[in-house]
Amino acid sequence: MNRALWVAAGSVVVGIIVFTLKGAAWWVTGSVALLSDALESIINIAASLAALVALRISAQPADDNHPYGHHKAEYFSAVLEGVLILLAAGSILREAYFGFLDPRMPDQPFHGILLNGLATVLNAVWCSVLLRYGRRWRSPALVADGRHLLTDVVTSIGVLVGFVLVPLVGWPQLDPLIAGLVAINILWTGWSLMRESVGGLMDEAPPANVVARIKELVSTHAAGAIEAHDLRTRHAGRMTFVEFHLVVPGEMTVAAAHDICDRIEQAFEADMEDMVITIHVEPEGEAKHRGVVVL
Ligand code: ZN
Ligand code: ZN
């Protein structure tokens, strides 16, 4: 988990460099669109700091106070980031509105393009790093951070295109107009990000292919048992929690039933990582004949 902490700390550093470059681009040009872009990256720094704190918390082992571990802390950071994206979009729309009412041609457009372009390239590189490692380590906080950066890159490309077009078409309203369009795109990303994190907080079931794999593992490694039912699964960050009832013949010894449970647990450990399994053993009178039939 230390590696994830390093990546999150890197996000904060990249965020500060990008903000400085984008702020300078706004400073030399006075463009509303470039100001909005810089504004978005302040929120990016705040969100990366939040992700860093969440990762530190979720890396702590389970304790008496939090016996299931601290993995859900990552969802809080992802939800917070969604809220920050909504705030950024709101303030960009506000700036675009005032810029539209009082339009002006940007100064030193070439310097603005160079500074903002440099920040955008840096963001794009870091974004691909975040998404790759976030998915590999199944960390919603890092993936959320990466998606946020992706909207940042899209924002900057939109802003730069508009910025190049403003002097070409000689229409200063284009600058705030493009800022407004980009804000709507940011709103959309923020919304889908929050929906995903709320799913995690609400113990949404894992994807169908994961559930199918779990059922397959139980049915092939529970020889001696009769059936498994009431299977429930949920995710918390990179952890998957699995619980089910295992029906065995009533006269089977506790030791023999426990052997079956150990075998199933070993099969899960070999096949899927970061998993906690709880098995409730029942005598055959409890069979419902509607769960996972043991092969
Ligand atoms: Zn049962
Ligand atoms: Zn045991």
Side-chain angles (χ1 to χ4, degrees), residues 14-234:
V14 170
I16 291 169
I17 298 169
V18 164
F19 168 66
T20 310
L21 289 169
K22 285 184 175 178
W26 162 64
W27 188 254
V28 298
T29 59
S31 155
V32 179
L34 293 191
L35 169 65
S36 310
D37 206 25
L39 211 68
E40 220 264 331
S41 43
I42 296 182
I43 288 164
N44 221 357
I45 297 169
S48 303
L49 280 171
L52 189 62
V53 172
L55 277 171
R56 278 196 73 100
I57 295 170
S58 68
Q60 284 172 22
D63 53 30
D64 288 347
N65 237 351
H66 302 90
Y68 290 93
H70 301 78
H71 310 284
K72 283 198 174 184
E74 291 195 23
Y75 291 120
F76 284 105
S77 135
V79 168
L80 179 70
E81 190 153 354
V83 172
L84 286 172
I85 289 176
L86 296 185
L87 280 175
S91 52
I92 291 169
L93 281 174
R94 185 177 167 276
E95 288 304 316
Y97 174 71
F98 288 120
F100 199 77
L101 292 182
D102 182 23
R104 46 164 297 213
M105 281 296 188
D107 312 316
Q108 305 192 59
F110 181 73
H111 290 92
I113 291 166
L114 199 72
L115 287 164
N116 192 283
L118 202 65
T120 304
V121 169
L122 187 61
N123 258 351
V125 169
W126 191 246
C127 168
S128 67
V129 170
L130 287 178
L131 287 177
R132 187 185 315 148
Y133 287 96
R135 288 196 183 119
R136 186 177 298 172
W137 301 333
R138 269 167 64 190
S139 158
L142 283 189
V143 172
D145 226 22
R147 295 230 180 112
H148 186 172
L149 264 196
L150 196 62
T151 70
D152 236 25
V153 172
V154 172
T155 308
S156 302
I157 291 169
V159 163
L160 281 175
V161 168
F163 200 73
V164 170
L165 284 176
V166 170
L168 291 182
V169 298
W171 189 46
Q173 268 103 338
L174 189 63
D175 188 49
L177 198 68
I178 287 189
L181 284 177
V182 169
I184 291 165
N185 178 59
I186 293 173
L187 276 179
W188 176 248
T189 312
W191 166 248
S192 51
L193 187 63
M194 281 169 74
R195 261 194 49 193
E196 221 170 272
S197 304
V198 167
L201 284 173
M202 291 300 293
D203 287 339
E204 219 169 60
N209 63 319
V210 175
V211 176
R213 182 79 191 120
I214 289 169
K215 285 184 176 169
E216 198 187 317
L217 280 173
V218 173
S219 78
T220 50
H221 290 91
I226 294 162
E227 69 159 33
H229 59 241
D230 292 358
L231 175 74
R232 291 194 294 178
T233 50
R234 64 188 178 92

Side-chain angles (χ1 to χ4, degrees), residues 260-295:
I260 298 173
C261 293
D262 274 354
R263 222 163 55 223
I264 296 170
E265 283 167 14
Q266 276 160 19
F268 272 103
E269 268 159 38
D271 197 76
M272 302 167 148
E273 48 181 24
D274 298 323
M275 193 168 267
V276 175
I277 307 144
T278 311
I279 307 170
H280 170 82
V281 174
E282 294 174 335
E284 60 203 307
E286 299 293 328
K288 293 180 177 177
H289 301 297
R290 59 168 182 79
V292 180
V293 178
V294 174
L295 296 175

